[in-house]
Amino acid sequence: MYSCAVYQLVLARKYLTSRIMPTLALLAVMLSVATVTVTWSVMGGFLNTLIQSGRSLVGDVSIDWPNTGFAHYEDLIARLEADPMIAAATPVIETFGMVRLPDDQVRLAVLKGVEGESFARVTNYEDTLYWRPVEPDRRKQEKYAGKPEAFEHLDPRAMPDEHPFYEATYANGLRLRRPESAVSIFEQDGELVILPNEATEDDAPAIVPGVEFTNFNYRTAGGFYQPKVVLRATSTGGVLRDDLFMPIRGSATVTVLQLDSSGRPADAITRTFPVANEFQSGIFEADQQVVLVEFHALQQMMNMDAAERPLPDAADNPFAVSEDGAAAVLPGRTEIDPARTTTVLVRGVDGIPAAQVARRVETIYGAFYEAHPGEVPDPLYIRIQTWEDMNRTMIEAVKKETGLVLVIFGIICFTTVFLVLAIFWSMISEKTKDIGVLRAIGAGRAGIASLWLSYGMGLGIVGAVLGTVLAALIVANINEIHTAIGQAGAMFGMNTVIWDPRIYYFATIPTDLDPVKAAVVVVMGILTCVLGAAIPSIRAARMDPVQA
């Protein structure tokens, strides 16, 4: 048994290093493993980025009672935050409205009233605020320094001189409040000086629209945003330069349909808000349609704040009559209408699955309902769902696309089996004399078969390892490789840019090289070689030693 194993290893190493045909099989395995690994990494990175973007403004669990909202939400939030499984909770008012922008365009919007501080504890809101100071990309700065295309490829937020302004803008966005003007502009020693105004408690409630909502931002070739500058013709024949950077002095007029506690339309309310910042969640539909509004301001506009309001009675009914047939004249009655919200978002403690948090939220809401019977929605009808439930359609679609792409590439790479089979069949035909000698000196059929199988496994191991190393290098430098391909194509007048940041919503190609997935691909690459060598191995084992 020992000598058998020795001659198998010696011959397998000799065949592996002394023939050109095995090198072709090794290259095929290497390229197949690298192709599948890179594809899986890119699609996995895209899916992970999309999933994280989908939960950026949602948290883990949502409690919804749309339109009319529900009362005593402060008590519910206190009960939730007292539970050890829950890290934070925040109220949100969701409704539809119209927004009039400074250029007089009117757009329909999904309005979300949020409390900046608690909203940031539950979601990734603070990370989605777009206008904030960022670290400069040294590589790009060196590459585009002094060149005309620097405007397209350098992030304006990375300019150190502008950091104080972006820090103030970032703070305004977190508070959803802004001074009447975000900056003060004055001349000092012959130079124009721009300083951010200090925040105060008297600053007006503000809005934070999605970065794509106003259409006042220009998306550059580098995937960054630059505020637009519009030149308008005046009646006197001149040209007026409008800087449409909304967080400086921009404002928008918001109109919502006010509802009473029973959900009946009451009146249309209009209010003008300054723009504190803009957000980028990573979901294009949200960034194009959603406008965040300071919570208490939208609550008041929607008639959901706590107030003394008249109760509906006969005096409000023009068709009501008294016992003698005359028109009823009854005194109006009032009550204190508690503040309401349409949604409470919940964030679980790190490490606890969202589904488990949702089950705990259901239990807490049941106790909350028992404390306020008849005043809040029944647990059977209230909508409690995880962020995965809310984004299931999108997530499942991307997962299916990822699976389909992997199946297609898997089928293509499966041709490696036939390539290995053809190469081994040819080699066995050439090595018939060697096989006859081995059989003559005592090698059994199983030994001959295992010789070629171990040879195939050796090819698979080397090819799969080299393929994984190649895939890791490609994934780590995929954006640089993509840029180099684009530049090379431009030299020959061809458009070889595949991932254009002006079209795709991610500025760079997302990747996720998962070690488990890479190990699966390596095993499949090795099995591919073993499977391709199986039939030729059986043929070699069945050869008659005398004829060989």
Side-chain angles (χ1 to χ4, degrees):
M1 290 295 293
Y2 179 76
S3 60
C4 179
V6 170
Y7 84 76
Q8 291 170 6
L9 294 176
V10 170
L11 290 178
R13 184 188 62 81
K14 179 181 178 182
Y15 290 161
L16 185 63
T17 57
S18 63
R19 304 283 295 177
I20 187 64
M21 292 183 66
T23 304
L24 298 177
L26 186 148
L27 289 175
V29 175
M30 181 183 72
L31 293 177
S32 297
V33 169
T35 300
V36 175
T37 303
V38 171
T39 302
W40 207 348
S41 298
V42 172
M43 294 299 292
F46 176 75
L47 178 60
N48 288 343
T49 304
L50 196 62
I51 288 175
Q52 293 302 320
S53 299
R55 66 183 300 188
S56 60
L57 296 178
V58 176
D60 291 332
V61 179
S62 172
I63 308 171
D64 295 310
W65 190 253
N67 301 326
T68 59
F70 59 92
H72 308 295
Y73 62 87
E74 300 95 337
D75 180 33
L76 176 60
I77 291 175
R79 292 170 181 265
L80 290 167
E81 293 185 338
D83 191 89
M85 290 181 58
I86 295 172
T90 183
V92 176
I93 294 177
E94 296 189 16
T95 187
F96 294 95
M98 293 188 299
V99 179
R100 182 179 179 181
L101 299 172
D103 61 351
D104 293 333
Q105 65 168 313
V106 178
R107 298 197 56 187
L108 293 176
V110 177
L111 303 177
K112 293 190 176 184
V114 300
E115 294 178 345
E117 183 180 352
S118 62
F119 188 62
R121 291 200 305 268
V122 174
T123 68
N124 297 329
Y125 174 58
E126 55 189 7
D127 296 328
T128 66
L129 288 171
Y130 188 77
W131 301 110
R132 58 179 175 176
V134 298
E135 291 299 321
D137 189 333
R138 301 297 181 187
R139 184 184 59 82
K140 285 189 175 182
Q141 283 186 331
E142 295 174 359
K143 182 177 181 180
Y144 295 105
K147 297 181 179 179
E149 57 267 30
F151 177 84
E152 290 284 327
H153 294 278
L154 295 181
D155 194 338
R157 302 170 299 172
M159 298 175 61
D161 294 342
E162 302 290 340
H163 276 190
F165 165 70
Y166 286 119
E167 289 173 357
T169 305
Y170 178 68
N172 291 338
L174 285 176
R175 299 185 307 132
L176 280 103
R177 289 182 175 273
R178 197 200 77 183
E180 182 178 352
S181 177
V183 298
S184 295
I185 304 176
F186 56 93
E187 187 175 343
Q188 183 177 1
D189 298 332
E191 295 183 358
L192 197 64
V193 179
I194 303 176
L195 294 176
N197 289 327
E198 293 185 3
T200 66
E201 296 181 357
D202 297 329
D203 290 341
I207 62 174
V208 177
V211 73
E212 291 281 349
F213 181 81
T214 63
N215 198 31
F216 292 166
N217 298 308
Y218 166 73
R219 189 171 174 86
T220 67
F224 310 114
Y225 286 96
Q226 293 275 7
K228 286 183 179 179
V229 176
V230 178
L231 300 179
R232 301 179 185 271
T234 64
S235 58
T236 59
V239 176
L240 181 65
R241 183 180 185 274
D242 285 348
D243 188 345
L244 299 179
F245 187 45
M246 295 290 282
I248 293 182
R249 291 193 184 89
S251 61
T253 302
V254 177
T255 302
V256 298
L257 186 62
Q258 195 177 68
L259 304 176
D260 61 19
S261 58
S262 61
R264 295 179 300 184
D267 196 4
I269 302 297
T270 299
R271 182 171 176 178
T272 299
F273 292 94
V275 176
N277 205 318
E278 293 173 302
F279 72 85
Q280 184 185 31
S281 67
I283 301 298
F284 185 80
E285 290 77 7
D287 296 347
Q288 192 181 41
Q289 300 174 5
V290 175
V291 175
L292 304 179
V293 186
E294 199 278 330
F295 179 80
H296 297 288
L298 184 60
Q299 188 181 49
Q300 186 178 21
M301 291 179 68
M302 291 294 297
N303 208 22
M304 289 185 173
D305 56 327
E308 186 177 4
R309 298 188 175 91
L311 282 172
D313 55 24
D316 299 322
N317 186 353
F319 301 102
V321 295
S322 61
E323 295 181 358
D324 59 1
V329 180
L330 300 176
R333 294 180 296 131
T334 62
E335 71 170 0
I336 298 298
D337 192 5
R340 290 173 286 126
T341 188
T342 62
T343 305
V344 170
L345 300 181
V346 181
R347 178 175 183 174
V349 174
D350 293 342
I352 300 180
Q356 187 176 348
V357 176
R359 290 192 294 270
R360 184 58 186 162
V361 169
E362 291 174 355
T363 302
I364 295 173
Y365 186 86
F368 166 71
Y369 174 76
E370 293 178 358
H372 305 278
E375 299 180 276
V376 296
D378 191 288
L380 294 175
Y381 304 112
I382 194 78
R383 186 169 58 187
I384 300 176
Q385 52 187 348
T386 67
W387 65 272
E388 293 172 323
D389 296 330
M390 291 183 279
N391 297 282
R392 189 169 301 280
T393 301
M394 175 184 65
I395 294 173
E396 291 300 325
V398 176
K399 285 183 177 179
K400 289 180 181 179
E401 291 175 3
T402 302
L404 179 61
V405 170
L406 288 174
V407 168
I408 293 174
F409 274 96
I411 293 174
I412 295 174
C413 294
F414 190 72
T415 57
T416 306
V417 173
F418 302 100
L419 178 62
V420 173
L421 189 152
I423 290 175
F424 271 59
W425 191 277
S426 175
M427 290 182 62
I428 287 174
S429 298
E430 293 181 3
K431 297 296 181 181
T432 300
K433 187 175 180 180
D434 292 359
I435 295 172
V437 172
L438 290 173
R439 290 296 309 280
I441 61 176
R445 295 181 184 273
I448 297 297
S450 61
L451 165 64
W452 294 99
L453 286 176
S454 61
Y455 185 22
M457 181 177 292
L459 283 175
I461 292 173
V462 175
V465 170
L466 292 178
T468 302
V469 173
L470 177 62
L473 292 174
I474 293 175
V475 169
N477 301 279
I478 193 167
N479 289 284
E480 289 75 10
I481 294 172
H482 176 262
T483 302
I485 293 174
Q487 293 173 346
M491 294 176 59
F492 297 97
M494 298 184 296
N495 182 15
T496 54
V497 176
I498 301 173
W499 194 278
D500 190 344
R502 288 171 294 189
I503 299 174
Y504 296 98
Y505 207 57
F506 307 124
T508 57
I509 302 175
T511 57
D512 177 29
L513 185 56
D514 188 347
V516 176
K517 295 177 181 177
V520 170
V521 178
V522 167
V523 172
M524 295 303 297
I526 296 173
L527 291 179
T528 294
C529 268
V530 173
L531 183 61
I535 295 178
S537 299
I538 295 174
R539 179 197 173 203
R542 296 181 63 182
M543 282 186 179
D544 183 87
V546 176
Q547 293 179 352

